[in-house]
Amino acid sequence: MKGRYLLLMFTLLVPLQLQAALKVFTCEPEWAALAEELGGDSVDVTSATQAMQDPHYIQARPSLIARIHKADLLICTGAGLEAGWLPVLLRKGNNPRILAGKSGHLMATDHVTMKEIPAVVDRSMGDIHARGNPHIQTDPRNIGRVAEVLAERLKMLDSANGEEYQRRYEDFIGRWNAAIEHWEQLASPMTGMPVVVYHRSWIYLQDWLGLKEIATLQPKPGIPPGSRYLADILNRTQGLSGMVIIHSQYQKSKAIKWFSAKSGAPVVLLPTTVGATAEAQDLFSWYEDIITRLLNAHENVNE
Amino acid sequence: MNRIITIFGALIALNLTPLEAVANEDIDQLRRQLEQLKQDYESRIDALEKRLLKAEQSQQQLKQNVSAEQPVREPQVAPSQPPAQVTAMRGDRSFNPAISLILDGRYSDFSQDPEEYSLPGFQLGGEAGPGEQGFALGHSELVISANADDKFFGRFTAAFDTHEGETEVEVEEAFLETLAIPYGLKLRGGRFYSDIGYLNKQHQHQWDFSDAPLIYRGMFGNHLLDDGVQLSWLAPTDLYLELGSELFAGGRYPIEYSGDSTVPTYTLFAKLGGDVGISQSWQAGLSLIDARVDYSTGSGHGHEDEHGEEEHMSPIYSGDTVTWGLDLVWKWAPGGNNRQRNLVLQYEYFNRDYDGILSAEHEGMTETGSYDGSQSGWYAQAVYQFMPQWRLGLRYDALTSSVNGSSSELIEESGFDSEGHDPWRYSMMTDWSNSEFSQLRLQYGYDKSSPDADDYWILQYILSLGAHGAHRY
């Protein structure tokens, strides 16, 4: 009788242990997609933001507190992008495993080369980030770098599945680097293409592909454009050929339409993350989509 | 370098020396010294060059290693830190500790006399009142906070208020909070805003309106804030569930002049919340506040006239008070993107029951009578951000009270008796935020707190300097 009970207990416990997947909480969908690439079935991933949300303007909602409380690993962009809500979540989440300094705390911007680190931080320049431009996910090589760090963390936090994580990482990085080369080839005709952006979300992409940013519709980060400022840009960009206007899925502004109508430049919506467009289903199709959309616009203006 | 100086010194000295022989001898010596010096430096430069070469080689090797590990093109790869030593965070290095200064200034226009302000059925304390007439500084705050280490977080808030032309500085918050206790527990100690209700823990500059709802004004003097400890627990569930309890010194509650009370105040609170789809979120809370007002240890209360003689004192309540509250918040933002448009609906209700005595001194005699009245009130508000930067808000307040006790005379003088008038008020506001760090607000209210109606206007600015403020729920 006792033996049977033990057997029953054992059979009950085994599936429970198998189910104990590593809980990953990410701030943005691209890191969730990356965690899924590297973790597979061994991780249980949840993202705090959807693609349609500007990751800067999120509130520390009750559901996020509940989710961060249970996380084993936190992956965020960092560098002040989540300054308004991540500190609150970390404090209210009562979860020592993911606090700064622990291996369950991964800030992507700690592991890549930051651009636009301001010499002076003054809010008259808008809500600028003292640590540099945080939109690092728009260069696929940065994703590769974060992948390497993430693989190490996964192995550390869940050593039982260490070999699996290593295998998945090697598989991923091989495919990713090959894809980067492919995208670079596709994008080569666009080198030097003049772009007008809504917000400086794309500087890493611009540097990667050699696009030339000539104006920002948002005068300062976090401050919507005024009409005089827009007219000024219009004057400055008059006579430029082959120009395209870039904005992201959550930047819906009349200024973009107005500027496009006045300047004749086409508007390109670029997905800032996985899920932002119907095409961007995972990391690969997301970049595929960015390149395709840019190329389409480039062909349009150069016809 | 010293040697060169010596040589130069010697050369100068040499020129001044009249004896040629001595000079020649010296020059020879000097030549030898120079030769030696040259050799010395050459060998040193040689060594340095070797070291440089070595360093360059090893760096190249390092680069090769890096590119072998991850074939990425950019050469300036920031070496990824070994995860075991991720102590050097680049995080909020620019503001450590996080220091922010909130500037609040306003122009108010109302007809009632702030000195005579009363809420029928309620005894007022704390910061309760309509504020100052005309131009005035509002509630400016200096907030300093940081993680002290891996175990503790601390925050300090000093508030600067102007009251009757005098600047008053008050420490509103000074607490520590644990960061790393397991099992979802958190301990907090010091002076802090209680977690009861929804609005209570919000600082004044976070309010959607320029003034507190009447129920907060009447029951808590705008805020329940005190010295004490708090223990809270976060449930490991998908639904947000937080339970907590506080133990306060009781010196600030519920009526200011019971300030010497040594009897603690207890609170209990429960919060529940979650999302509905990606566009909606909600939170509901229940609170209980058990406070005993023990006037017998108090120092008395009354106004002294210009002759230093005590005027007639209003009756004071001693005994138990039990307050409970309900709060509901519902937020909507299309696609969860609250930057463009969002709507917030908010409702709070509080009820307080008294069970004690009223006492008053009349010409050296103390009169007492039993008292077991009750008070309640609620507010409901809607704030709609119809486009980026612009919001509109509407709020309605209502209070009611009932009195019951053995001495109708004491009750009548106590301020607990609403004398048939239940206060109510509606307010409207619109505000414009140039960025997250600045806000201009215009508020209009029709105030029937007292039987005489009052139209009031407040024009307010709020600036937030320094560390990025929190996007609280």
Side-chain angles (χ1 to χ4, degrees):
Chain A
M1 210 40 203
K2 215 175 183 180
R4 253 191 228 175
Y5 266 118
L6 276 175
L7 195 71
L8 187 71
M9 291 280 280
F10 189 71
T11 48
L12 279 174
L13 278 172
V14 168
L16 275 179
Q17 273 181 337
L18 287 178
Q19 276 172 8
L22 201 68
K23 289 196 173 64
V24 182
F25 180 100
T26 73
C27 288
E28 290 84 21
E30 63 269 20
W31 309 128
L34 185 62
E36 268 158 9
E37 289 277 357
L38 301 187
D41 293 336
S42 310
V43 294
D44 177 5
V45 186
T46 168
S47 173
T49 59
Q50 311 278 335
M52 295 313 289
Q53 296 170 320
D54 186 335
H56 190 79
Y57 299 94
I58 295 293
Q59 288 186 326
R61 297 197 309 279
S63 65
L64 297 183
I65 297 170
R67 281 196 268 163
I68 208 168
H69 174 55
K70 294 186 290 181
D72 299 304
L73 173 60
L74 170 81
I75 314 170
C76 292
T77 299
L81 183 65
E82 302 97 351
W85 50 283
L86 187 59
V88 186
L89 286 185
L90 286 175
R91 199 157 71 74
K92 297 207 77 177
N94 296 4
N95 182 351
R97 296 184 299 276
I98 49 142
L99 295 180
K102 297 283 170 60
S103 47
H105 184 97
L106 201 170
M107 295 290 124
T109 47
D110 285 347
H111 304 281
V112 301
T113 310
M114 298 296 288
K115 293 181 175 167
E116 292 190 335
I117 297 175
V120 182
V121 179
D122 187 318
R123 288 247 172 82
S124 64
M125 300 183 278
D127 185 13
I128 55 165
H129 299 281
R131 291 242 353 253
N133 189 314
H135 307 288
I136 56 148
Q137 85 282 12
T138 62
D139 182 339
R141 297 168 299 182
N142 284 340
I143 305 250
R145 262 162 238 165
V146 177
E148 189 199 352
V149 184
L150 176 56
E152 289 305 315
R153 297 292 176 93
L154 288 173
K155 283 190 262 179
M156 224 168 104
L157 293 166
D158 182 16
S159 50
N161 291 315
E163 281 174 32
E164 172 70 3
Y165 293 129
Q166 182 62 30
R167 192 192 60 73
R168 292 192 76 100
Y169 166 69
E170 281 167 13
D171 173 55
F172 168 76
I173 204 73
R175 287 185 293 131
W176 189 246
N177 286 329
I180 290 175
E181 225 165 288
H182 173 61
W183 295 325
E184 281 171 354
Q185 273 168 13
L186 282 178
S188 58
M190 293 190 288
T191 309
M193 178 168 81
V195 294
V196 172
V197 296
Y198 180 74
H199 174 80
R200 296 186 60 85
S201 319
W202 301 99
I203 62 149
Y204 294 88
L205 181 90
Q206 290 157 21
D207 286 1
W208 173 47
L209 298 180
L211 310 181
K212 202 174 150 210
E213 182 190 304
I214 42 176
T216 311
L217 293 183
Q218 218 183 20
K220 282 150 192 176
I223 296 171
S227 55
R228 193 189 298 173
Y229 175 80
L230 287 175
D232 194 42
I233 302 179
L234 195 65
N235 272 333
R236 277 203 288 129
T237 57
Q238 241 161 19
L240 261 174
S241 67
M243 179 172 75
V244 300
I245 305 164
I246 295 176
H247 74 104
S248 57
Q249 67 280 2
Y250 48 74
Q251 291 156 357
K252 290 199 182 79
S253 166
K254 282 182 191 132
I256 298 169
K257 274 186 200 155
W258 182 90
F259 191 79
S260 172
K262 293 280 176 189
S263 65
V267 179
V268 194
L269 185 156
L270 289 190
T272 55
T273 186
V274 176
T277 57
E279 293 84 3
Q281 288 305 311
D282 59 15
L283 290 171
F284 291 89
S285 53
W286 164 39
Y287 265 95
E288 204 75 57
D289 192 35
I290 289 179
I291 302 292
T292 312
R293 282 165 183 263
L294 273 176
L295 275 174
N296 284 344
H298 180 252
E299 278 161 23
N300 272 342
V301 289
N302 289 297
E303 256 172 13
Chain B
M1 202 56 198
N2 275 340
R3 245 198 263 184
I4 295 168
I5 292 169
T6 324
I7 292 162
F8 270 107
L11 279 171
I12 292 163
L14 214 66
N15 284 339
L16 298 173
T17 315
L19 295 168
E20 213 171 288
V22 177
N24 279 341
E25 202 178 295
D26 273 358
I27 286 170
D28 280 349
Q29 202 184 344
L30 212 58
R31 242 180 227 142
R32 280 196 300 276
Q33 274 185 354
L34 271 172
E35 199 65 33
Q36 205 185 341
L37 198 68
K38 204 176 140 196
Q39 276 172 5
D40 202 31
Y41 271 101
E42 268 172 1
S43 66
R44 275 196 210 182
I45 285 166
D46 224 35
L48 274 173
E49 275 177 346
K50 272 180 196 155
R51 271 170 67 186
L52 194 67
L53 197 71
K54 223 171 164 181
E56 273 175 357
Q57 278 170 344
S58 65
Q59 203 186 7
Q60 227 151 25
Q61 217 162 16
L62 198 75
K63 268 186 196 170
Q64 278 163 359
N65 287 348
V66 169
S67 50
E69 275 167 22
Q70 40 173 89
V72 283
R73 294 183 179 193
E74 214 160 301
Q76 64 268 39
V77 178
S80 34
Q81 292 158 317
Q85 303 147 10
V86 280
T87 42
M89 296 309 300
R90 291 199 213 158
D92 271 336
R93 198 163 45 180
S94 54
F95 297 112
N96 192 16
I99 299 173
S100 65
L101 181 66
I102 310 295
L103 299 180
D104 171 359
R106 51 180 72 196
Y107 177 83
S108 312
D109 181 56
F110 46 81
S111 55
Q112 59 200 329
D113 181 357
E115 288 299 303
E116 298 293 314
Y117 182 80
S118 70
L119 269 180
F122 290 77
Q123 291 182 319
L124 295 178
E127 296 167 357
E132 306 264 318
Q133 182 77 257
F135 288 109
L137 279 183
H139 192 82
S140 301
E141 279 184 0
L142 179 66
V143 188
I144 301 173
S145 69
N147 289 344
D149 51 31
D150 59 331
K151 302 255 187 313
F152 297 105
F153 166 86
R155 180 153 72 204
F156 172 84
T157 304
F160 302 83
D161 274 298
T162 308
H163 189 65
E164 288 168 18
E166 304 241 339
T167 303
E168 292 170 359
V169 182
E170 193 193 4
V171 177
E172 286 207 332
E173 282 181 311
F175 66 82
L176 70 80
E177 195 177 270
T178 60
L179 292 167
I181 310 188
Y183 311 115
L185 293 171
K186 186 185 280 295
L187 257 174
R188 181 189 273 197
R191 179 175 299 173
F192 54 93
Y193 292 121
S194 168
D195 253 313
I196 58 117
Y198 173 72
L199 211 54
N200 193 68
K201 66 171 180 296
Q202 286 187 11
H203 289 220
Q204 206 158 316
H205 63 90
Q206 296 170 318
W207 293 350
D208 293 318
F209 287 81
S210 302
D211 50 9
L214 290 180
I215 187 66
Y216 273 92
R217 192 182 269 182
M219 281 197 180
F220 308 116
N222 286 359
H223 275 303
L224 175 56
L225 109 100
D226 205 342
D227 300 350
V229 289
Q230 181 196 71
L231 178 68
S232 61
W233 175 69
L234 194 57
T237 48
D238 288 334
L239 201 66
Y240 166 72
L241 170 64
E242 190 185 351
L243 303 175
S245 181
E246 290 153 343
L247 171 62
F248 285 124
R252 295 160 158 263
Y253 174 87
I255 305 155
E256 199 176 34
Y257 54 68
S258 65
D260 296 330
S261 169
T262 51
V263 189
T265 297
Y266 303 94
T267 76
L268 281 174
F269 59 86
K271 295 173 199 295
L272 200 64
D275 290 344
V276 183
I278 60 164
S279 299
Q280 297 170 57
S281 60
W282 60 278
Q283 183 179 298
L286 275 175
S287 318
L288 187 74
I289 307 143
D290 184 345
R292 200 180 152 75
V293 186
D294 192 353
Y295 176 59
S296 57
T297 60
S299 57
H301 168 75
H303 295 285
E304 288 189 355
D305 63 17
E306 57 261 42
H307 308 295
E309 285 170 42
E310 214 159 80
E311 281 181 10
H312 176 73
M313 278 168 59
S314 62
I316 310 275
Y317 174 79
S318 297
D320 288 323
T321 74
V322 175
T323 310
W324 72 272
L326 166 74
D327 58 273
L328 300 170
V329 183
W330 177 84
K331 296 191 182 189
W332 170 80
N337 188 12
N338 58 6
R339 172 93 166 128
Q340 297 288 329
R341 272 190 308 150
N342 70 74
L343 175 66
V344 181
L345 301 181
Q346 193 173 316
Y347 169 84
E348 287 190 73
Y349 171 87
F350 285 99
N351 178 83
R352 177 178 293 163
D353 288 316
Y354 291 84
D355 184 11
I357 56 161
L358 281 173
S359 57
E361 278 179 41
H362 271 296
E363 293 149 4
M365 300 275 286
T366 306
E367 267 185 67
T368 59
S370 69
Y371 183 73
D372 59 350
S374 71
Q375 302 163 327
S376 67
W378 59 276
Y379 76 89
Q381 69 178 52
V383 175
Y384 182 46
Q385 183 186 308
F386 54 99
M387 59 185 282
Q389 300 185 311
W390 286 94
R391 303 192 309 165
L392 274 177
L394 189 65
R395 176 180 68 183
Y396 183 78
D397 284 282
L399 304 179
T400 120
S401 56
S402 68
V403 289
N404 190 26
S406 59
S407 164
S408 54
E409 192 190 339
L410 281 171
I411 290 170
E412 203 175 301
E413 293 169 3
S414 68
F416 281 129
D417 192 353
S418 67
E419 289 162 6
H421 177 79
D422 286 338
W424 61 271
R425 177 180 73 174
Y426 71 80
S427 328
M428 287 185 285
M429 73 88 186
T430 181
D431 59 22
W432 174 73
S433 305
N434 179 47
S435 68
E436 279 189 83
F437 313 102
S438 66
Q439 199 165 45
L440 293 177
R441 179 183 294 142
L442 179 66
Q443 180 173 329
Y444 164 77
Y446 181 77
D447 189 0
K448 279 282 265 185
S449 288
S450 46
D452 299 323
D454 186 13
D455 286 294
Y456 73 98
W457 291 89
I458 301 172
L459 182 64
Q460 185 190 17
Y461 68 79
I462 300 169
L463 289 189
S464 156
L465 315 179
H468 202 298
H471 303 169
R472 297 183 149 278
Y473 189 79

